[in-house]
Amino acid sequence: MRKGWVNGMLKNLRQKKMIALAIGAVLAVGVIAGCGGEKKEAGAEKSKVYQIGVLQMVQHGALDDSNKGFVDGLASRGYKNGENIKIDQQNAQGDQANLKTISQRFVNNKVDLIFAIATPAAQIVANETKTIPIVGAAIVDYKTAKLVQSNEKPGGNVTGTTNHNPPKRQIDLALKLVPKAKTVGALYTSSEVNSQIQVKAMKEYAAEKGLTVIEATVSNVNDIQQAVQSLLGKVDFIYCPTDNNIVSAMSNIAKITVPAKMPVFIGDEAPIKTGGATAGISVNFYKLGFQAGEMAADILSGKSKPADMPIGSQEDVKVIINQEASKAIGLVIPEELRKAVE
């Protein structure tokens, strides 16, 4: 009787041990499966392809350079188009309706980040979303354009780089090349905030220098020819801000100003080198775009948020003089500026 009882107890212990081992095995499998799931999730995150929308206001040298710089800046941080990011390049061709349509499409497609090139592009896309990160470039003053709370601490979903280039630099250069000038013409788009800011600052500095300012404004590129002609015979040189309509039409402007021997000054490298403008002091739009690309990379990686990223700027500038245009106009280039001749 006692022997049977002992055998029964041993049998029960063996059964309990086997059940315990079975439970342990199940738990171990669960832990392994859980770890595997975590690794898979991390791997999935690592292999995510981020969707980036690029909205460019219009096609011209400075904005094209900003665009190229942005793509290269992202690539320098490991975000390469066709690999871990997919870039949707869109150009509004200067049309406000196109800007809105493209912006809405980016938002509806729930892209991970939007790169807005030029103030009008940034303003429209910022009106469409308050959550998708927006990085801008070719924008003079983010705060005045009502894109951020302050340039030091944006506070929202917009940040980027500024091409701020004090207009006094262009006026000082103009007075070195046209020392007897008394009157300056301001050619710009009346509705573009960037241009308004620059012309206001130029007028204030021109007054300090004893210059009279005559304004000629346009609403679109179709107005430019008439606006330019209205300045001929009335001014000694023309000042152009970094205005998208003006810059995109510079070659047509030069066809009017060069034969009339009218100097044109602008703070943008491309329209001087290839558009026929006379001279200017310019920031480097490619480098500013590159810097914007690096900022975008920090946002995508989770390192930073637009709200906390100060607006980036550039201190280095370059004096550029178009030799062919200057010669055609009859300008005498001072020795100190000869090295700037292109």
Side-chain angles (χ1 to χ4, degrees):
M1 181 74 177
R2 183 176 179 82
K3 183 176 180 182
W5 178 82
V6 170
N7 289 337
M9 288 291 294
L10 290 173
K11 184 177 181 181
N12 287 337
L13 286 172
R14 284 197 295 270
Q15 288 176 340
K16 288 180 180 180
K17 185 175 181 181
M18 290 175 67
I19 291 171
L21 289 171
I23 292 172
V26 169
L27 290 174
V29 170
V31 170
I32 293 171
C35 292
E38 288 176 5
K39 287 182 180 179
K40 183 178 180 181
E41 185 178 347
E45 181 65 26
K46 186 176 180 181
S47 62
K48 176 180 178 179
V49 177
Y50 292 94
Q51 306 296 315
I52 298 176
V54 174
L55 177 55
Q56 183 169 325
M57 170 67 184
V58 69
Q59 186 170 2
H60 66 67
L63 304 193
D64 293 345
D65 287 346
S66 298
N67 198 331
K68 186 177 187 304
F70 175 75
V71 175
D72 289 349
L74 278 169
S76 74
R77 294 291 186 86
Y79 291 95
K80 298 180 180 180
N81 191 30
E83 294 182 12
N84 51 357
I85 61 172
K86 183 178 180 181
I87 299 177
D88 184 359
Q89 288 277 1
Q90 296 294 324
N91 192 308
Q93 301 301 332
D95 189 302
Q96 294 285 326
N98 288 344
L99 285 175
K100 187 172 182 62
T101 299
I102 296 166
S103 297
Q104 290 174 337
R105 183 161 68 79
F106 285 162
V107 174
N108 291 336
N109 289 345
K110 297 180 180 180
V111 298
D112 296 292
L113 184 141
I114 298 172
F115 180 48
I117 313 175
T119 303
Q123 288 176 317
I124 288 180
V125 77
N127 284 334
E128 296 297 329
T129 177
K130 301 301 179 186
T131 56
I132 296 174
I134 300 169
V135 177
I139 297 169
V140 172
D141 190 331
Y142 286 71
K143 184 178 180 181
T144 303
K146 299 181 179 180
L147 292 166
V148 300
Q149 294 175 17
S150 77
N151 292 323
E152 294 74 29
K153 192 172 179 61
N157 64 320
V158 181
T159 188
T161 59
T162 172
N163 60 304
H164 176 63
N165 188 4
K168 64 176 291 183
R169 292 172 175 167
Q170 316 307 327
I171 299 301
D172 286 341
L173 177 62
L175 290 176
K176 288 180 180 179
L177 292 169
V178 193
K180 295 181 180 180
K182 300 295 181 184
T183 307
V184 51
L187 178 66
Y188 68 102
T189 303
S190 57
S191 61
E192 191 162 325
V193 176
N194 264 357
S195 301
Q196 295 169 8
I197 296 168
Q198 294 172 80
V199 171
K200 182 177 182 292
M202 185 278 287
K203 289 170 68 177
E204 292 172 355
Y205 187 67
E208 293 179 21
K209 291 293 184 178
L211 292 170
T212 300
V213 178
I214 297 177
E215 297 183 41
T217 62
V218 304
S219 57
N220 55 59
V221 292
N222 297 323
D223 301 334
I224 291 176
Q225 182 175 346
Q226 183 177 349
V228 175
Q229 290 175 334
S230 74
L231 295 172
L232 300 182
K234 298 178 183 177
V235 301
D236 298 303
F237 67 89
I238 295 175
Y239 161 82
C240 300
T242 50
D243 180 299
N244 292 296
N245 284 324
I246 302 303
V247 171
S248 65
M250 187 54 70
S251 59
N252 291 328
I253 293 171
K255 290 176 182 178
I256 302 171
T257 57
V258 172
K261 299 190 181 302
M262 176 63 67
V264 177
F265 295 86
I266 186 168
D268 188 338
E269 185 173 359
I272 300 168
K273 286 186 172 182
T274 61
T278 310
I281 298 178
S282 177
V283 294
N284 188 303
F285 283 84
Y286 172 83
K287 290 182 179 179
L288 287 170
F290 193 97
Q291 186 177 351
E294 293 178 315
M295 295 171 76
D298 286 342
I299 293 170
L300 292 176
S301 68
K303 181 179 178 181
S304 301
K305 296 180 180 179
D308 304 320
M309 303 175 77
I311 303 303
S313 61
Q314 184 182 107
E315 296 302 321
D316 295 335
V317 293
K318 181 180 180 182
V319 179
I320 308 161
I321 300 174
N322 184 315
Q323 183 176 24
E324 185 178 343
S326 299
K327 185 177 180 180
I329 290 171
L331 289 182
V332 177
I333 301 173
E335 186 62 37
E336 64 176 297
L337 296 175
R338 292 280 173 85
K339 63 182 179 180
V341 173
E342 295 283 347

mmCIF file of all heavy atoms in Angstrom, residues 113-149:
data_model
loop_
_atom_site.group_PDB
_atom_site.id
_atom_site.type_symbol
_atom_site.label_atom_id
_atom_site.label_comp_id
_atom_site.label_asym_id
_atom_site.label_seq_id
_atom_site.Cartn_x
_atom_site.Cartn_y
_atom_site.Cartn_z
ATOM 1 N N LEU A 113 7.878 65.683 -45.195
ATOM 2 C CA LEU A 113 8.509 66.994 -45.090
ATOM 3 C C LEU A 113 8.319 67.738 -46.415
ATOM 4 O O LEU A 113 8.270 67.117 -47.483
ATOM 5 C CB LEU A 113 10.001 66.862 -44.763
ATOM 6 C CG LEU A 113 10.809 68.136 -44.534
ATOM 7 C CD1 LEU A 113 11.813 67.936 -43.386
ATOM 8 C CD2 LEU A 113 11.572 68.553 -45.786
ATOM 9 N N ILE A 114 8.217 69.067 -46.341
ATOM 10 C CA ILE A 114 8.077 69.884 -47.545
ATOM 11 C C ILE A 114 9.200 70.915 -47.586
ATOM 12 O O ILE A 114 9.475 71.584 -46.585
ATOM 13 C CB ILE A 114 6.714 70.609 -47.575
ATOM 14 C CG1 ILE A 114 5.568 69.589 -47.607
ATOM 15 C CG2 ILE A 114 6.620 71.537 -48.784
ATOM 16 C CD1 ILE A 114 4.184 70.210 -47.442
ATOM 17 N N PHE A 115 9.851 71.021 -48.731
ATOM 18 C CA PHE A 115 10.873 72.047 -48.949
ATOM 19 C C PHE A 115 10.259 73.115 -49.845
ATOM 20 O O PHE A 115 9.889 72.839 -50.994
ATOM 21 C CB PHE A 115 12.115 71.439 -49.605
ATOM 22 C CG PHE A 115 13.218 72.433 -49.870
ATOM 23 C CD1 PHE A 115 13.642 73.318 -48.889
ATOM 24 C CD2 PHE A 115 13.845 72.483 -51.109
ATOM 25 C CE1 PHE A 115 14.664 74.225 -49.130
ATOM 26 C CE2 PHE A 115 14.868 73.383 -51.364
ATOM 27 C CZ PHE A 115 15.279 74.256 -50.369
ATOM 28 N N ALA A 116 10.119 74.336 -49.318
ATOM 29 C CA ALA A 116 9.492 75.431 -50.052
ATOM 30 C C ALA A 116 10.548 76.446 -50.470
ATOM 31 O O ALA A 116 11.243 77.009 -49.623
ATOM 32 C CB ALA A 116 8.432 76.109 -49.186
ATOM 33 N N ILE A 117 10.649 76.677 -51.776
ATOM 34 C CA ILE A 117 11.684 77.570 -52.307
ATOM 35 C C ILE A 117 11.048 78.879 -52.744
ATOM 36 O O ILE A 117 10.305 78.917 -53.711
ATOM 37 C CB ILE A 117 12.436 76.920 -53.481
ATOM 38 C CG1 ILE A 117 12.839 75.486 -53.142
ATOM 39 C CG2 ILE A 117 13.667 77.742 -53.847
ATOM 40 C CD1 ILE A 117 13.471 74.729 -54.296
ATOM 41 N N ALA A 118 11.336 79.956 -52.024
ATOM 42 C CA ALA A 118 10.842 81.320 -52.222
ATOM 43 C C ALA A 118 9.660 81.601 -51.292
ATOM 44 O O ALA A 118 8.892 80.689 -50.939
ATOM 45 C CB ALA A 118 10.468 81.603 -53.669
ATOM 46 N N THR A 119 9.524 82.845 -50.911
ATOM 47 C CA THR A 119 8.513 83.256 -49.928
ATOM 48 C C THR A 119 7.083 82.878 -50.309
ATOM 49 O O THR A 119 6.359 82.309 -49.483
ATOM 50 C CB THR A 119 8.617 84.774 -49.677
ATOM 51 O OG1 THR A 119 9.933 85.083 -49.241
ATOM 52 C CG2 THR A 119 7.632 85.215 -48.604
ATOM 53 N N PRO A 120 6.619 83.180 -51.538
ATOM 54 C CA PRO A 120 5.229 82.831 -51.869
ATOM 55 C C PRO A 120 4.948 81.338 -51.723
ATOM 56 O O PRO A 120 3.863 80.948 -51.276
ATOM 57 C CB PRO A 120 5.098 83.279 -53.335
ATOM 58 C CG PRO A 120 6.111 84.364 -53.489
ATOM 59 C CD PRO A 120 7.262 83.918 -52.651
ATOM 60 N N ALA A 121 5.918 80.503 -52.089
ATOM 61 C CA ALA A 121 5.746 79.052 -51.960
ATOM 62 C C ALA A 121 5.606 78.664 -50.497
ATOM 63 O O ALA A 121 4.733 77.869 -50.123
ATOM 64 C CB ALA A 121 6.925 78.324 -52.600
ATOM 65 N N ALA A 122 6.465 79.231 -49.656
ATOM 66 C CA ALA A 122 6.423 78.901 -48.233
ATOM 67 C C ALA A 122 5.131 79.396 -47.585
ATOM 68 O O ALA A 122 4.530 78.701 -46.755
ATOM 69 C CB ALA A 122 7.625 79.505 -47.520
ATOM 70 N N GLN A 123 4.684 80.587 -47.954
ATOM 71 C CA GLN A 123 3.461 81.139 -47.359
ATOM 72 C C GLN A 123 2.238 80.287 -47.689
ATOM 73 O O GLN A 123 1.413 80.013 -46.821
ATOM 74 C CB GLN A 123 3.248 82.570 -47.851
ATOM 75 C CG GLN A 123 4.226 83.572 -47.245
ATOM 76 C CD GLN A 123 4.053 84.968 -47.822
ATOM 77 O OE1 GLN A 123 3.895 85.131 -49.039
ATOM 78 N NE2 GLN A 123 4.084 85.967 -46.968
ATOM 79 N N ILE A 124 2.130 79.881 -48.934
ATOM 80 C CA ILE A 124 0.955 79.101 -49.331
ATOM 81 C C ILE A 124 0.961 77.714 -48.698
ATOM 82 O O ILE A 124 -0.056 77.243 -48.183
ATOM 83 C CB ILE A 124 0.864 79.022 -50.868
ATOM 84 C CG1 ILE A 124 0.441 80.392 -51.414
ATOM 85 C CG2 ILE A 124 -0.131 77.941 -51.304
ATOM 86 C CD1 ILE A 124 0.300 80.461 -52.911
ATOM 87 N N VAL A 125 2.103 77.057 -48.703
ATOM 88 C CA VAL A 125 2.134 75.705 -48.134
ATOM 89 C C VAL A 125 1.956 75.769 -46.615
ATOM 90 O O VAL A 125 1.349 74.875 -46.011
ATOM 91 C CB VAL A 125 3.436 74.965 -48.524
ATOM 92 C CG1 VAL A 125 4.628 75.438 -47.719
ATOM 93 C CG2 VAL A 125 3.268 73.463 -48.348
ATOM 94 N N ALA A 126 2.436 76.838 -45.975
ATOM 95 C CA ALA A 126 2.271 76.981 -44.526
ATOM 96 C C ALA A 126 0.809 77.194 -44.156
ATOM 97 O O ALA A 126 0.385 76.844 -43.045
ATOM 98 C CB ALA A 126 3.116 78.139 -44.015
ATOM 99 N N ASN A 127 0.042 77.758 -45.069
ATOM 100 C CA ASN A 127 -1.397 77.929 -44.837
ATOM 101 C C ASN A 127 -2.156 76.609 -44.957
ATOM 102 O O ASN A 127 -3.274 76.480 -44.455
ATOM 103 C CB ASN A 127 -1.984 78.940 -45.833
ATOM 104 C CG ASN A 127 -1.636 80.365 -45.482
ATOM 105 O OD1 ASN A 127 -1.399 80.683 -44.313
ATOM 106 N ND2 ASN A 127 -1.587 81.236 -46.472
ATOM 107 N N GLU A 128 -1.555 75.646 -45.649
ATOM 108 C CA GLU A 128 -2.211 74.362 -45.879
ATOM 109 C C GLU A 128 -1.962 73.348 -44.771
ATOM 110 O O GLU A 128 -2.729 72.409 -44.605
ATOM 111 C CB GLU A 128 -1.757 73.776 -47.221
ATOM 112 C CG GLU A 128 -2.151 74.584 -48.445
ATOM 113 C CD GLU A 128 -3.654 74.684 -48.630
ATOM 114 O OE1 GLU A 128 -4.362 73.730 -48.246
ATOM 115 O OE2 GLU A 128 -4.121 75.721 -49.138
ATOM 116 N N THR A 129 -0.862 73.499 -44.027
ATOM 117 C CA THR A 129 -0.561 72.527 -42.971
ATOM 118 C C THR A 129 0.171 73.189 -41.811
ATOM 119 O O THR A 129 1.054 74.031 -42.016
ATOM 120 C CB THR A 129 0.283 71.358 -43.498
ATOM 121 O OG1 THR A 129 0.603 70.466 -42.417
ATOM 122 C CG2 THR A 129 1.584 71.827 -44.133
ATOM 123 N N LYS A 130 -0.222 72.803 -40.616
ATOM 124 C CA LYS A 130 0.446 73.275 -39.405
ATOM 125 C C LYS A 130 1.161 72.125 -38.705
ATOM 126 O O LYS A 130 1.675 72.286 -37.601
ATOM 127 C CB LYS A 130 -0.572 73.901 -38.440
ATOM 128 C CG LYS A 130 -1.346 75.085 -39.013
ATOM 129 C CD LYS A 130 -0.430 76.215 -39.434
ATOM 130 C CE LYS A 130 -1.230 77.377 -40.026
ATOM 131 N NZ LYS A 130 -0.331 78.429 -40.578
ATOM 132 N N THR A 131 1.186 70.975 -39.346
ATOM 133 C CA THR A 131 1.801 69.792 -38.726
ATOM 134 C C THR A 131 2.979 69.224 -39.515
ATOM 135 O O THR A 131 3.979 68.806 -38.930
ATOM 136 C CB THR A 131 0.745 68.680 -38.543
ATOM 137 O OG1 THR A 131 0.137 68.391 -39.809
ATOM 138 C CG2 THR A 131 -0.328 69.112 -37.552
ATOM 139 N N ILE A 132 2.890 69.193 -40.836
ATOM 140 C CA ILE A 132 3.994 68.667 -41.644
ATOM 141 C C ILE A 132 5.171 69.641 -41.569
ATOM 142 O O ILE A 132 4.999 70.843 -41.800
ATOM 143 C CB ILE A 132 3.569 68.481 -43.117
ATOM 144 C CG1 ILE A 132 2.459 67.434 -43.223
ATOM 145 C CG2 ILE A 132 4.761 68.059 -43.977
ATOM 146 C CD1 ILE A 132 1.887 67.285 -44.621
ATOM 147 N N PRO A 133 6.372 69.167 -41.266
ATOM 148 C CA PRO A 133 7.534 70.062 -41.205
ATOM 149 C C PRO A 133 7.792 70.724 -42.562
ATOM 150 O O PRO A 133 7.752 70.074 -43.605
ATOM 151 C CB PRO A 133 8.688 69.121 -40.835
ATOM 152 C CG PRO A 133 8.028 67.950 -40.185
ATOM 153 C CD PRO A 133 6.715 67.784 -40.888
ATOM 154 N N ILE A 134 8.055 72.036 -42.532
ATOM 155 C CA ILE A 134 8.356 72.807 -43.738
ATOM 156 C C ILE A 134 9.723 73.450 -43.568
ATOM 157 O O ILE A 134 9.974 74.142 -42.572
ATOM 158 C CB ILE A 134 7.305 73.905 -43.983
ATOM 159 C CG1 ILE A 134 5.914 73.296 -44.162
ATOM 160 C CG2 ILE A 134 7.679 74.753 -45.200
ATOM 161 C CD1 ILE A 134 4.790 74.318 -44.144
ATOM 162 N N VAL A 135 10.608 73.227 -44.522
ATOM 163 C CA VAL A 135 11.919 73.876 -44.540
ATOM 164 C C VAL A 135 11.940 74.790 -45.756
ATOM 165 O O VAL A 135 11.579 74.386 -46.860
ATOM 166 C CB VAL A 135 13.062 72.845 -44.616
ATOM 167 C CG1 VAL A 135 14.413 73.554 -44.703
ATOM 168 C CG2 VAL A 135 13.024 71.918 -43.403
ATOM 169 N N GLY A 136 12.350 76.045 -45.560
ATOM 170 C CA GLY A 136 12.348 77.010 -46.653
ATOM 171 C C GLY A 136 13.738 77.447 -47.059
ATOM 172 O O GLY A 136 14.718 77.236 -46.337
ATOM 173 N N ALA A 137 13.813 78.080 -48.230
ATOM 174 C CA ALA A 137 15.059 78.691 -48.717
ATOM 175 C C ALA A 137 14.677 79.793 -49.693
ATOM 176 O O ALA A 137 13.537 79.844 -50.174
ATOM 177 C CB ALA A 137 15.965 77.662 -49.381
ATOM 178 N N ALA A 138 15.637 80.698 -49.988
ATOM 179 C CA ALA A 138 15.396 81.846 -50.867
ATOM 180 C C ALA A 138 14.279 82.722 -50.295
ATOM 181 O O ALA A 138 13.405 83.194 -51.003
ATOM 182 C CB ALA A 138 15.069 81.387 -52.282
ATOM 183 N N ILE A 139 14.331 82.908 -48.985
ATOM 184 C CA ILE A 139 13.365 83.738 -48.253
ATOM 185 C C ILE A 139 14.153 84.770 -47.458
ATOM 186 O O ILE A 139 15.077 84.416 -46.728
ATOM 187 C CB ILE A 139 12.516 82.863 -47.309
ATOM 188 C CG1 ILE A 139 11.688 81.844 -48.116
ATOM 189 C CG2 ILE A 139 11.606 83.712 -46.432
ATOM 190 C CD1 ILE A 139 11.025 80.773 -47.282
ATOM 191 N N VAL A 140 13.788 86.038 -47.591
ATOM 192 C CA VAL A 140 14.544 87.098 -46.930
ATOM 193 C C VAL A 140 14.247 87.169 -45.439
ATOM 194 O O VAL A 140 15.152 87.145 -44.611
ATOM 195 C CB VAL A 140 14.268 88.472 -47.589
ATOM 196 C CG1 VAL A 140 14.892 89.599 -46.769
ATOM 197 C CG2 VAL A 140 14.838 88.502 -49.002
ATOM 198 N N ASP A 141 12.976 87.272 -45.068
ATOM 199 C CA ASP A 141 12.628 87.459 -43.655
ATOM 200 C C ASP A 141 11.403 86.611 -43.305
ATOM 201 O O ASP A 141 10.277 86.935 -43.685
ATOM 202 C CB ASP A 141 12.353 88.935 -43.369
ATOM 203 C CG ASP A 141 12.234 89.230 -41.875
ATOM 204 O OD1 ASP A 141 11.828 88.327 -41.117
ATOM 205 O OD2 ASP A 141 12.551 90.362 -41.466
ATOM 206 N N TYR A 142 11.620 85.548 -42.578
ATOM 207 C CA TYR A 142 10.551 84.612 -42.217
ATOM 208 C C TYR A 142 9.518 85.262 -41.300
ATOM 209 O O TYR A 142 8.324 84.992 -41.412
ATOM 210 C CB TYR A 142 11.136 83.376 -41.539
ATOM 211 C CG TYR A 142 11.837 82.418 -42.470
ATOM 212 C CD1 TYR A 142 13.058 82.737 -43.041
ATOM 213 C CD2 TYR A 142 11.280 81.183 -42.781
ATOM 214 C CE1 TYR A 142 13.713 81.869 -43.898
ATOM 215 C CE2 TYR A 142 11.920 80.284 -43.630
ATOM 216 C CZ TYR A 142 13.141 80.646 -44.193
ATOM 217 O OH TYR A 142 13.776 79.778 -45.040
ATOM 218 N N LYS A 143 9.966 86.106 -40.392
ATOM 219 C CA LYS A 143 9.033 86.716 -39.444
ATOM 220 C C LYS A 143 8.117 87.713 -40.149
ATOM 221 O O LYS A 143 6.898 87.695 -39.948
ATOM 222 C CB LYS A 143 9.790 87.405 -38.313
ATOM 223 C CG LYS A 143 8.860 87.977 -37.255
ATOM 224 C CD LYS A 143 9.615 88.615 -36.109
ATOM 225 C CE LYS A 143 8.633 89.181 -35.083
ATOM 226 N NZ LYS A 143 9.339 89.836 -33.943
ATOM 227 N N THR A 144 8.684 88.582 -40.971
ATOM 228 C CA THR A 144 7.877 89.558 -41.694
ATOM 229 C C THR A 144 6.898 88.865 -42.627
ATOM 230 O O THR A 144 5.777 89.346 -42.842
ATOM 231 C CB THR A 144 8.774 90.518 -42.492
ATOM 232 O OG1 THR A 144 9.691 91.160 -41.593
ATOM 233 C CG2 THR A 144 7.961 91.583 -43.202
ATOM 234 N N ALA A 145 7.302 87.727 -43.174
ATOM 235 C CA ALA A 145 6.427 86.959 -44.058
ATOM 236 C C ALA A 145 5.394 86.151 -43.272
ATOM 237 O O ALA A 145 4.600 85.414 -43.853
ATOM 238 C CB ALA A 145 7.252 86.019 -44.927
ATOM 239 N N LYS A 146 5.431 86.281 -41.924
ATOM 240 C CA LYS A 146 4.491 85.605 -41.032
ATOM 241 C C LYS A 146 4.581 84.077 -41.131
ATOM 242 O O LYS A 146 3.582 83.366 -41.033
ATOM 243 C CB LYS A 146 3.060 86.079 -41.295
ATOM 244 C CG LYS A 146 2.875 87.567 -41.051
ATOM 245 C CD LYS A 146 1.449 88.026 -41.292
ATOM 246 C CE LYS A 146 1.321 89.524 -41.018
ATOM 247 N NZ LYS A 146 -0.059 90.018 -41.250
ATOM 248 N N LEU A 147 5.801 83.619 -41.300
ATOM 249 C CA LEU A 147 6.038 82.174 -41.356
ATOM 250 C C LEU A 147 6.475 81.616 -40.003
ATOM 251 O O LEU A 147 6.315 80.429 -39.736
ATOM 252 C CB LEU A 147 7.114 81.865 -42.407
ATOM 253 C CG LEU A 147 6.729 82.117 -43.862
ATOM 254 C CD1 LEU A 147 7.968 82.096 -44.754
ATOM 255 C CD2 LEU A 147 5.710 81.094 -44.330
ATOM 256 N N VAL A 148 7.063 82.485 -39.170
ATOM 257 C CA VAL A 148 7.567 82.066 -37.856
ATOM 258 C C VAL A 148 7.240 83.124 -36.815
ATOM 259 O O VAL A 148 6.933 84.279 -37.150
ATOM 260 C CB VAL A 148 9.099 81.840 -37.885
ATOM 261 C CG1 VAL A 148 9.485 80.758 -38.883
ATOM 262 C CG2 VAL A 148 9.830 83.150 -38.221
ATOM 263 N N GLN A 149 7.331 82.729 -35.552
ATOM 264 C CA GLN A 149 7.132 83.683 -34.462
ATOM 265 C C GLN A 149 8.345 84.584 -34.313
ATOM 266 O O GLN A 149 8.235 85.770 -34.036
ATOM 267 C CB GLN A 149 6.853 82.926 -33.165
ATOM 268 C CG GLN A 149 5.536 82.149 -33.184
ATOM 269 C CD GLN A 149 5.343 81.306 -31.945
ATOM 270 O OE1 GLN A 149 6.008 81.507 -30.924
ATOM 271 N NE2 GLN A 149 4.438 80.340 -32.009
#
